[in-house]
Amino acid sequence: MLDANLKQQLSQYLGMLREPIELVATLGDDAKSAQTRELLEQIDALSDKVSAKFDGEDDRRPSFIIRRASDATVWVRFAGVPLGHEFTSLVLALLWAGGHPPKVEEETLQAIRDLEGDFDFEMYFSLSCHNCPDVVQALTLMALFNPRISATLIEGGAFQDEVEERGVMAVPAVFLNGESFANGKMSVEELLAKIDTNAGARAAAKIEGKDPFEVLVIGGGPAGASAAIYTARKGFRTGVAAERFGGQVLDTMGIENFISVPYTEGPKLAAALEAHVGEYDIDVMNLQKAERLIPATKPGGMHEVVFANGASLKARSLVLSTGARWRNLGVPGEFEYRNRGVAYCPHCDGPLFKGKRVAVIGGGNSGVEAAIDLANIVGHVTLIEFDSKLRADQVLQDKLRSMDNVDILVSAQTTEVTGDGERVDGLTYKNRETGEEHRVELEGVFVQIGLVPNTEWLKDSGIELTKFGEIVVDAHAATNLPGVFAAGDATTVPFKQIIIAMGEGSKAALSAFDYLIRNEATDEIAQAA
């Protein structure tokens, strides 16, 4: 089960346990149960602070709980074998149950302890999902720090019938007290915000008390992180307000074109960005969605950004780096069947469609890569491209065409996603050359048709936007408003790439530096500071 290298690493981690823990398993006669027994026996053998038992009475087999030997009310349950992307989650669960402190702000831990009420979480994950570990770890943390919270973390591939019965067609999928609660990647802070009704008010009050910044970066992706580091290095008081630090990078799997790093994955890069930002005196305010920009009335004056929770921040200069999100098809059925057959992440949700027929909409690199990945998992893939030819790199096209369970349709306009009321059962498309309508019967639709800039909040701000919603910037990353700069996928800069966003963020920061040294602060700001 665990190779020699993993055993050695796990042995070192288990040496950090401060108190004994128990692993209590409920097993059947199947292969997954045999794997679970082998895994738990290996963990047991690596530390005298771990004991494994096989007399559990859970309905799911295989499953096991991790609990403190001194307090049976504090536990977390895994159903299935948490390897792959979830091995780290398993290790953290062992450490936290054994008293090793998590690397989480004490304020967050106290918010978990202070939650009132009983919360029974069930969460479905797949072993190939790179978005799932954050949710698994967040729920694990909550269960181990509040005895009124329980968390059962279920590997969907091991419980396919249950997945089908509950209509889970996208992971991570979280249920609370038996009802659907959340889908998609979420941090512990985001989960807390959904169940703690006072969280927004506390966050707003905390923000309202802050002095004006010299540079305020809106957005925490590669562009925003780069901008913040550059302005902080110049000695300016810098803040970052982000709806989700890391941005869309968090939803990216393999990254192979980040120069000097042959391969990395989005969550790893996002963690590295956060760590680098943390090396400087930068005030990071996460989970803050910008809602309105009130520009300064004169050079050197104060810009104000209002957030969804009602709080606002002021700054002499701004760097707008709110990034972009996946573009929707905008056809009937897409919204109705989202997470019920309509998906946007093939890495996360592909395993839930094992052996089934799916479509991928989009013939660019993302679409063709998704089709290649899915063809190795599902029964059949139909790639649908609006243009008369695929736009992906030739090497990707050649790979796709070599696969015998793939059909490619070009000059095809998707017109509707259909379903039976519960889940997707097909789609219709129009042949753009003949005008004929066709139907494809399938069980999943993966949308991969590009990006939409996150700039709706700027429409009445005076910032110049293109008809596509991109922020218009010049060669210095400056917008049409003095003191307001922009960078990354939300702007008119071509080629939406991580490495380009980082460069543009640095450029915007240097331009903000130049602006600040050429424009003295107004009396209003000088007095406020």
Side-chain angles (χ1 to χ4, degrees):
M1 176 62 64
L2 300 179
D3 60 29
N5 183 48
L6 279 179
K7 285 183 181 179
Q8 181 181 9
Q9 292 180 34
L10 185 54
S11 178
Q12 292 174 346
Y13 286 126
L14 294 177
M16 302 177 187
L17 294 176
R18 298 183 178 183
E19 58 182 281
I21 61 175
E22 295 176 338
L23 313 177
V24 184
T26 304
L27 304 179
D29 299 325
D30 56 293
K32 286 279 188 180
S33 291
Q35 291 176 346
T36 301
R37 177 182 288 274
E38 182 182 356
L39 174 63
L40 300 187
E41 288 176 341
Q42 288 180 341
I43 296 172
D44 185 357
L46 292 174
S47 173
D48 58 6
K49 282 189 168 64
V50 179
S51 61
K53 303 177 181 181
F54 300 93
D55 57 355
E57 298 180 351
D58 189 52
D59 292 336
R60 295 183 180 91
R61 299 169 184 264
S63 67
F64 63 95
I65 65 172
I66 302 171
R67 71 187 183 195
R68 292 173 189 156
S70 61
D71 186 356
T73 67
V74 178
W75 56 268
V76 63
R77 175 179 285 112
F78 286 91
V81 187
L83 296 177
H85 281 290
E86 296 303 340
F87 183 70
T88 298
S89 302
L90 172 61
V91 172
L92 290 173
L94 295 168
L95 291 177
W96 295 340
H100 186 74
K103 294 181 179 179
V104 178
E105 295 288 339
E106 178 57 32
E107 182 181 356
T108 300
L109 293 178
Q110 193 57 49
I112 293 172
R113 297 186 190 104
D114 291 342
L115 283 173
E116 296 182 358
D118 296 310
F119 302 91
D120 179 19
F121 287 103
E122 296 169 293
M123 179 260 183
Y124 294 87
F125 64 88
S126 72
L127 297 180
S128 62
C129 171
H130 60 282
N131 287 328
C132 293
D134 276 9
V135 185
V136 170
Q137 292 162 28
L139 292 174
T140 297
L141 188 72
M142 293 169 68
L144 293 177
F145 279 81
N146 186 328
R148 299 184 68 179
I149 300 174
S150 64
T152 299
L153 311 166
I154 307 158
E155 195 259 293
F159 295 90
Q160 196 67 42
D161 291 344
E162 184 175 332
V163 165
E164 293 279 349
E165 182 181 347
R166 299 187 82 165
V168 176
M169 304 192 75
V171 290
V174 181
F175 289 76
L176 174 58
N177 299 332
E179 301 294 329
S180 180
F181 175 70
N183 285 88
K185 184 183 179 75
M186 298 183 75
S187 66
V188 65
E189 292 82 6
E190 289 172 298
L191 283 165
L192 280 171
K194 281 182 69 70
I195 60 178
D196 182 357
T197 55
N198 294 320
R202 287 199 303 271
K206 190 174 180 180
I207 286 176
E208 284 289 355
K210 295 182 183 292
D211 292 333
F213 293 94
E214 290 176 289
V215 181
L216 177 62
V217 180
I218 307 297
S226 298
I229 289 169
Y230 263 69
T231 57
R233 286 175 60 86
K234 293 292 186 181
F236 287 129
R237 183 168 184 268
T238 300
V240 176
E243 186 173 357
R244 184 176 63 148
F245 195 93
Q248 199 178 33
V249 167
L250 290 165
D251 303 324
T252 304
M253 188 54 179
I255 299 170
E256 298 176 312
N257 57 356
F258 190 70
I259 309 306
S260 82
V261 181
Y263 179 84
T264 188
E265 295 177 353
K268 291 181 181 178
L269 179 57
L273 290 174
E274 189 169 11
H276 196 173
V277 167
E279 292 291 317
Y280 296 91
D281 186 17
I282 297 170
D283 190 345
V284 178
M285 296 152 282
N286 204 9
L287 307 183
Q288 301 303 317
K289 183 178 181 180
E291 205 165 68
R292 186 160 54 100
L293 167 61
I294 304 172
T297 56
K298 55 186 174 181
M302 192 155 30
H303 304 284
E304 182 175 3
V305 177
V306 181
F307 297 92
N309 59 15
S312 66
L313 292 170
K314 296 177 181 179
R316 287 179 60 200
S317 65
L318 300 175
V319 176
L320 309 179
S321 56
T322 45
R325 62 188 183 275
W326 293 115
R327 184 181 299 277
N328 294 325
L329 278 170
V331 301
E334 179 185 20
F335 178 79
E336 291 83 349
Y337 290 103
R338 184 172 296 175
N339 297 323
R340 293 191 293 163
V342 174
Y344 299 84
C345 179
H347 301 291
C348 303
D349 302 331
L352 299 176
F353 294 84
K354 184 177 181 179
K356 298 179 179 180
R357 300 178 66 88
V358 304
V360 174
I361 313 299
N365 281 353
S366 296
V368 173
E369 287 174 352
I372 292 169
D373 288 344
L374 289 166
N376 290 312
I377 301 171
V378 305
H380 187 272
V381 178
T382 301
L383 179 73
I384 299 176
E385 166 57 32
F386 182 87
D387 202 353
S388 60
K389 60 182 182 299
L390 301 184
R391 293 167 285 107
D393 296 341
Q394 191 61 47
V395 64
L396 295 174
Q397 294 190 42
D398 292 343
K399 174 64 176 176
L400 183 67
R401 295 182 192 281
S402 72
M403 308 181 89
D404 57 12
N405 63 335
V406 175
D407 288 335
I408 300 172
L409 304 176
V410 295
S411 297
Q413 179 181 357
T414 303
T415 55
E416 183 179 7
V417 176
T418 63
D420 60 6
E422 293 295 328
R423 59 191 65 193
V424 166
D425 64 12
L427 63 75
T428 59
Y429 72 91
K430 180 175 71 174
N431 184 312
R432 295 178 57 239
E433 295 180 353
T434 66
E436 294 179 357
E437 291 274 349
H438 299 273
R439 173 173 169 79
V440 181
E441 294 188 358
L442 40 76
E443 294 159 287
V445 177
F446 289 82
V447 181
Q448 301 280 293
I449 56 171
L451 303 171
V452 177
N454 297 317
T455 57
E456 290 86 355
W457 66 288
L458 294 170
K459 285 185 177 177
D460 296 321
S461 66
I463 290 280
E464 184 182 357
L465 304 174
T466 69
K467 64 180 180 180
F468 304 109
E470 295 176 319
I471 303 170
V472 177
V473 293
D474 64 15
H476 296 274
T479 71
N480 61 304
L481 298 181
V484 181
F485 305 88
D489 289 0
T491 73
T492 50
V493 171
F495 311 120
K496 312 307 186 186
Q497 299 287 308
I498 291 170
I499 197 164
I500 292 174
M502 285 183 172
E504 290 296 311
S506 304
K507 183 198 294 182
L510 293 172
S511 294
F513 165 73
D514 184 72
Y515 168 83
L516 289 172
I517 63 175
R518 294 174 185 274
N519 292 276
E520 293 295 329
T522 64
D523 291 341
E524 178 188 10
I525 296 177
Q527 291 169 5

